[in-house]
Amino acid sequence: MIDKIYCADVKPDMEGQRVKLAGWVYRKREVGGKVFIVLRDSSGIIQTIFKKDSGDAYKLAKKVGIESSVIIEGTVKADPRAPTGAEIQGEKLEVVQDVEFFPITKDASPEFLLDVRHLHLHSPKVAAVMKVKATMMQAAREWLLQDGWYEVFPPILVTGAVEGGSTLFKLKYFDRDAYLSQSAQLYLEAAIFGLEKVWSLTPSFRAEKSRTRRHLTEYWHLELEGAWMDLWDILKVEEELISYMVQRTLELRQKEIETFRKDLTTLKNTEPPFPRVSYDEAIDILQSKGVQIEWGEDMGADEERVLTEEFDRPFFVYGYPKHIKAFYMKEDPEDPRKALAADLLAPEGYGEIIGGSQREDDYDKLVQRIIEEGMDPKNYEWYLDLRKYGSVPHSGFGLGLERLVAWVMKLDHVRWATLFPRTPSRLYP
Ligand SMILES: NC(=O)C[C@H]([NH3+])C(=O)NS(=O)(=O)OC[C@H]1O[C@@H](n2cnc3c(N)ncnc32)[C@H](O)[C@@H]1O
Ligand SMILES: [Mg+2]
């Protein structure tokens, strides 16, 4: 490893110190016989200046292209005019790999940026999104550990649907059919009999044809399952976990968040308890705002967008009609038309970031729901066993990590929240 420091390590009070940095040529200009190179590394940027009296270094600085990889040695000079209050008087420049023409220019279209996503990852703005995403998961792990949740590692190759057969990716598994997991939920439900409180972060796959700004065909899914928990218990877990993730990330990554989001109000408002709105109330609100929707219909992205205008923080919608929700959700004993289910919606038009519910823990009722959904109970034999051998009330949820990051960073599409987005039209690079 090169014995170097990071751009962000260079401070004005290091005036006169000789330092070595390594990174990429982010910006470059020549003024008054000097070459100004803004060096970029994973920590940020620093201005470096090469004067004619730096000999070969000056000649190389004049020629080196944007996004070339370089190693620079020089002396720190405090200068309030410099972007970071200090700059480097360049004395030595090694060009590791010269780039004649970097294909990404200021006017690059979103589609082109996705075509060259492997090069778009040079961008400090993309790095800011990935740092925020990593910090959100760091915070999640901190919270889950202190609250006694066990991480488990469920399978991705599975034999059945959790969220409907129409969005399954099928593949050949030797001489049998298999599918890419839509959700780890059913396996987490098995894990609670030994560990009680479990979580997993897995890729989930949805062969969704919908081309909305919040759908990917592969996304990172943070899922929890808790034994002995009812719907209201798991909503408390959700609001405490999400609040901790958002506040901790604000604390550690405010600079990166502000790369995209100027107003932090809704993030600062993200503290428990979150507002809880029934599906019935949500329908009333939408109808009062002129949205054409009847009781019993599902809310899509457009309806959720309108609903979120009423809130300045994440909020729950609970008590959806049973027939628009998944087979595993427990019927509300107080209203058999409804399921003990709740989604968490992010404000500012982002909508659903979490789907969760209390699970049907009665064997016969679950078989009946599977049949009602037109599925074959035989395909769920192992899952039904969970209701035969010490079944317990239990609840859980799934958080779409990219959707959470897209809201926190106010991104215009969930695809910018993942390293290499997968959508119906994008499988490469
Ligand atoms: N363990 C559970 O209870 C999870 C449950 N089986 C489940 O998969 N629910 S969900 O389909 O609403 O998906 C959960 C979340 O997963 C996200 N999600 C769901 N589908 C997508 C797509 N296509 N792209 C990106 N993100 C997606 C979104 O935030 C949803 O709220
Ligand atoms: Mg959902």
Side-chain angles (χ1 to χ4, degrees):
M1 176 80 177
I2 301 173
D3 176 21
K4 70 180 186 77
I5 63 169
Y6 288 96
C7 293
D9 296 333
V10 179
K11 305 291 184 205
D13 62 6
M14 291 167 58
E15 169 101 14
Q17 278 186 36
R18 191 157 162 62
V19 294
K20 181 191 277 192
L21 302 110
W24 293 266
V25 176
Y26 182 54
R27 297 276 185 271
K28 187 178 129 174
R29 70 189 199 293
E30 289 191 45
V31 177
K34 293 177 196 166
V35 180
F36 292 81
I37 287 178
V38 176
L39 181 72
R40 171 186 64 76
D41 65 16
S42 59
S43 70
I45 59 171
I46 188 82
Q47 179 161 279
T48 66
I49 304 165
F50 290 87
K51 298 174 186 163
K52 283 195 177 106
D53 61 7
S54 59
D56 288 349
Y58 173 76
K59 289 187 194 114
L60 284 170
K62 276 180 73 70
K63 280 193 321 185
V64 73
I66 296 296
E67 286 306 322
S68 298
S69 43
V70 296
I71 298 170
I72 290 177
E73 292 183 54
T75 304
V76 178
K77 183 168 171 301
D79 185 332
R81 295 167 301 171
T84 58
E87 59 190 14
I88 307 289
Q89 302 289 336
E91 288 142 20
K92 199 170 162 222
L93 171 62
E94 179 189 342
V95 180
V96 176
Q97 207 255 327
D98 189 27
V99 174
E100 270 186 47
F101 173 66
F102 190 68
I104 296 179
T105 53
K106 269 206 174 46
D107 56 356
S109 70
E111 283 312 309
F112 178 72
L113 290 177
L114 291 168
D115 289 342
V116 292
R117 182 66 171 174
H118 52 297
L119 301 180
H120 191 206
L121 301 186
H122 283 230
S123 156
K125 290 187 84 170
V126 175
V129 174
M130 300 311 158
K131 287 179 183 178
V132 165
K133 188 174 188 177
T135 304
M136 297 221 89
M137 269 314 299
Q138 171 196 331
R141 289 188 169 94
E142 287 172 4
W143 187 89
L144 289 160
L145 189 62
Q146 63 80 35
D147 201 56
W149 295 77
Y150 291 98
E151 183 175 11
V152 293
F153 305 87
I156 301 298
L157 291 168
V158 298
T159 56
V162 182
E163 298 300 330
S166 65
T167 63
L168 282 170
F169 280 113
K170 184 181 211 180
L171 62 121
K172 280 314 285 176
Y173 188 79
F174 302 106
D175 58 349
R176 282 173 288 170
D177 289 342
Y179 305 100
L180 293 178
S181 169
Q182 294 169 313
S183 161
Q185 177 191 324
L186 309 192
Y187 296 96
L188 297 184
E189 289 188 60
I192 65 172
F193 290 83
L195 297 167
E196 292 191 67
K197 292 165 65 174
V198 296
W199 71 276
S200 65
L201 175 68
T202 59
S204 282
F205 301 87
R206 306 286 171 102
E208 307 250 13
K209 294 193 178 59
S210 41
R211 296 169 190 277
T212 74
R213 68 179 198 156
R214 66 181 195 173
H215 282 93
L216 296 165
T217 53
E218 173 182 354
Y219 72 95
W220 285 91
H221 203 173
L222 175 60
E223 298 181 82
L224 274 66
E225 200 70 29
W228 310 111
M229 291 186 178
D230 66 16
L231 177 66
W232 314 111
D233 296 324
I234 207 72
L235 296 195
K236 235 173 110 8
V237 169
E238 289 178 42
E239 66 192 4
E240 287 176 16
L241 173 59
I242 292 293
S243 298
Y244 185 81
M245 289 170 77
V246 169
Q247 297 312 323
R248 186 83 169 114
T249 305
L250 259 180
E251 177 195 341
L252 298 174
R253 294 291 179 194
Q254 180 163 337
K255 179 170 70 74
E256 285 81 3
I257 292 173
E258 288 179 329
T259 313
F260 287 83
R261 170 189 275 274
K262 300 310 167 208
D263 181 351
L264 302 178
T265 307
T266 57
L267 302 186
K268 291 181 176 170
N269 291 345
T270 302
E271 293 283 7
F274 294 165
R276 287 153 168 73
V277 178
S278 71
Y279 168 85
D280 300 3
E281 289 162 330
I283 294 294
D284 290 345
I285 292 170
L286 290 172
Q287 288 174 343
S288 73
K289 292 166 77 80
V291 174
Q292 297 301 312
I293 186 167
E294 298 305 322
W295 195 98
E297 291 178 352
D298 202 356
M299 284 181 274
D302 294 339
E303 292 77 20
E304 288 183 359
R305 187 172 303 113
V306 173
L307 189 60
T308 67
E309 290 164 2
E310 301 294 300
F311 297 88
D312 62 358
R313 64 201 67 203
F315 62 99
F316 292 110
V317 177
Y318 67 88
Y320 288 84
K322 192 176 66 180
H323 72 273
I324 60 173
K325 283 298 188 182
F327 73 94
Y328 53 74
M329 295 187 183
K330 190 172 184 64
E331 181 183 291
D332 183 348
E334 288 169 27
D335 185 342
R337 297 176 307 161
K338 296 179 181 174
L340 291 173
D343 283 359
L344 184 66
L345 275 61
E348 298 162 296
Y350 285 84
E352 181 189 347
I353 56 173
I354 289 182
S357 70
Q358 187 168 341
R359 312 333 184 161
E360 182 50 71
D361 52 284
D362 177 83
Y363 179 89
D364 294 328
K365 286 185 176 168
L366 187 56
V367 170
Q368 184 192 340
R369 287 290 291 121
I370 290 173
I371 293 168
E372 277 171 11
E373 292 298 312
M375 302 189 298
D376 182 350
K378 269 209 298 306
N379 291 339
Y380 292 89
E381 217 163 305
W382 72 267
Y383 182 60
L384 286 162
D385 272 358
L386 306 181
R387 276 70 180 172
K388 279 167 45 178
Y389 299 98
S391 186
V392 291
H394 61 289
S395 300
F397 66 89
L399 161 69
L401 190 56
E402 287 78 18
R403 288 197 184 177
L404 176 61
V405 171
W407 165 55
V408 167
M409 300 293 273
K410 278 200 98 174
L411 303 176
D412 65 14
H413 194 297
V414 72
R415 66 192 175 188
W416 303 119
T418 193
L419 216 55
F420 287 92
R422 295 295 178 252
T423 62
S425 56
R426 195 160 290 279
L427 185 59
Y428 175 91

